[in-house]
Amino acid sequence: MEIRPGILRTPEACFDGLPGYDFAPHYVDVEDSRLGPLRMHYIDEGDRDAPIVLMLHGNPTWSYLYRHMIGPVAAAGYRVIAPDMIGFGKSDKPASRADYGFDRFVQWMRAFVEALDLRGVTLVCQDWGGPIGLRVLSECPDRFSAVLATNTLLQNCDPPPLGVPDWPGEQIAAWVETCRTTEDLPLDLLIRRACATDVPADILAAYAAPFPDAAYKKGMLQITCGIPIAEGAEGLEANRAAWRFLESWDKPFLTAFSDQDPATIAWEDVFQRRIPGAKGQPHRRIPNGGHFVQEDQGAALAQVLIEFLDANK
């Protein structure tokens, strides 16, 4: 597919020689009613007939985040699919902020799942991978068989016990306003602040590879503006509907949050209490991990995932 006006595609040279990322690229077109087909990149490792594990990243990361987990999980006998959301990684990036929205991210990811006809999926979701992935699950539940949620949330603006105390709070509101009013943010700073371990310069550069300049960061900035922080916000009622669905979800649902992520830890209890499939699961806390636990403790999280997958074959 040719690149059309209004769509950016990061030059392939930007991804040359990234440390630890030697996976073969795969691409599929997802339909967008306004923009036309958009090319979406994904990693696809392991036996094509094996049970599927769908690993969804958040912001401002991409499938590179899962590089420590993909190999071990595939070697354990599973097919691992790790896409780059539209606006991220090697996927197409609409050039206008107006082309992004919470609901559109959900639509694009659902189109991806349907384009590949994924079934029997174990969803692994972190950061924005949670709100997006769980919305997709609630819309086409027959395609999913289990969930592992790590350092994520599904915002609902409701007080406990349906939500978390003091949502959204001044810090989240300020972060949304920062992203709304700026045209650029430094990737290295964002990644470094969200990790509990020191991230080497070449790894920080790899996370920044999809964004050679600010023009490529529209989705990265606009996704934050989609956090539903008040009544009437885009996606809020759809999130609440997803929660109502999840309150009847009795398939396995495991939480494996890290021990150093104050941004999401309050949602761990909400998932465990409200979702029937979470009852009796061996929920875990991953030690020495920040928000991007896949970067800090990818091997440990992979082992938790493999044990979860093996227990629910």
Side-chain angles (χ1 to χ4, degrees):
M1 183 181 74
E2 293 185 359
I3 307 175
R4 303 182 308 283
I7 306 297
L8 299 177
R9 186 173 294 170
T10 305
E12 191 60 35
C14 293
F15 302 101
D16 289 346
L18 299 187
Y21 193 82
D22 56 355
F23 307 104
H26 299 265
Y27 297 95
V28 66
D29 288 349
V30 297
E31 290 298 324
D32 182 278
S33 59
R34 290 194 313 181
L35 301 174
L38 297 170
R39 193 180 79 162
M40 200 162 174
H41 166 260
Y42 63 103
I43 294 168
D44 192 342
E45 296 287 315
D47 185 344
R48 295 301 183 271
D49 295 323
I52 296 169
V53 181
L54 178 64
M55 298 183 176
L56 298 189
H57 69 84
N59 184 37
T61 61
W62 54 293
S63 56
Y64 188 78
L65 179 71
Y66 284 103
R67 70 194 184 282
H68 298 308
M69 300 178 60
I70 293 168
V73 176
Y78 298 93
R79 179 185 178 187
V80 180
I81 296 176
D84 296 334
M85 290 191 290
I86 297 297
F88 294 83
K90 295 185 177 184
S91 293
D92 282 352
K93 301 169 181 66
S96 171
R97 290 177 70 139
D99 290 328
Y100 296 93
F102 186 0
D103 292 339
R104 299 196 82 190
F105 280 109
V106 175
Q107 292 164 9
W108 291 327
M109 189 56 66
R110 177 173 178 171
F112 173 82
V113 169
E114 292 176 341
L116 295 186
D117 195 24
L118 303 182
R119 299 182 183 276
V121 174
T122 294
L123 172 66
V124 178
C125 54
Q126 184 262 341
D127 191 82
W128 272 98
I132 293 168
L134 293 171
R135 284 268 302 273
V136 174
L137 181 152
S138 72
E139 293 176 8
C140 44
D142 291 346
R143 293 182 179 273
F144 292 86
S145 61
V147 178
L148 186 150
T150 176
N151 295 357
T152 192
L153 68 167
L154 181 57
Q155 312 98 322
N156 56 17
C157 292
D158 296 327
L162 300 181
V164 301
D166 303 319
W167 173 266
E170 294 182 1
Q171 187 174 6
I172 293 174
W175 175 231
V176 171
E177 182 65 11
T178 295
C179 291
R180 187 185 69 81
T181 56
T182 190
E183 291 302 322
D184 196 5
L185 285 172
L187 264 290
D188 57 346
L189 180 62
L190 296 177
I191 298 296
R192 195 164 57 237
R193 282 180 173 176
C195 290
T197 57
D198 291 331
V199 183
D202 59 341
I203 303 300
L204 293 173
Y207 278 112
F211 312 107
D213 61 51
Y216 291 80
K217 296 181 180 179
K218 306 300 184 182
M220 185 202 90
L221 294 168
Q222 197 62 27
I223 195 172
T224 297
C225 301
I227 297 175
I229 61 175
E231 295 296 331
E234 177 186 0
L236 178 57
E237 290 306 319
N239 278 15
R240 287 170 170 161
W243 268 116
R244 290 192 292 272
F245 170 80
L246 288 170
E247 286 182 319
S248 65
W249 174 266
D250 58 4
K251 296 178 182 179
F253 192 108
L254 181 72
T255 61
F257 283 51
S258 67
D259 63 348
Q260 297 180 47
D261 184 29
T264 64
I265 193 62
W267 292 92
E268 175 192 57
D269 177 64
V270 182
F271 285 126
Q272 292 178 10
R273 283 189 295 99
R274 293 189 67 180
I275 301 175
K279 302 297 188 292
Q281 293 292 335
H283 301 294
R284 297 284 294 275
R285 285 279 183 90
I286 307 296
N288 303 314
H291 181 61
F292 295 122
V293 61
Q294 304 96 317
E295 180 63 43
D296 288 324
Q297 300 296 334
L301 184 58
Q303 186 57 43
V304 171
L305 173 58
I306 291 167
E307 292 172 3
F308 178 59
L309 291 165
D310 288 349
N312 292 286
K313 284 183 176 178

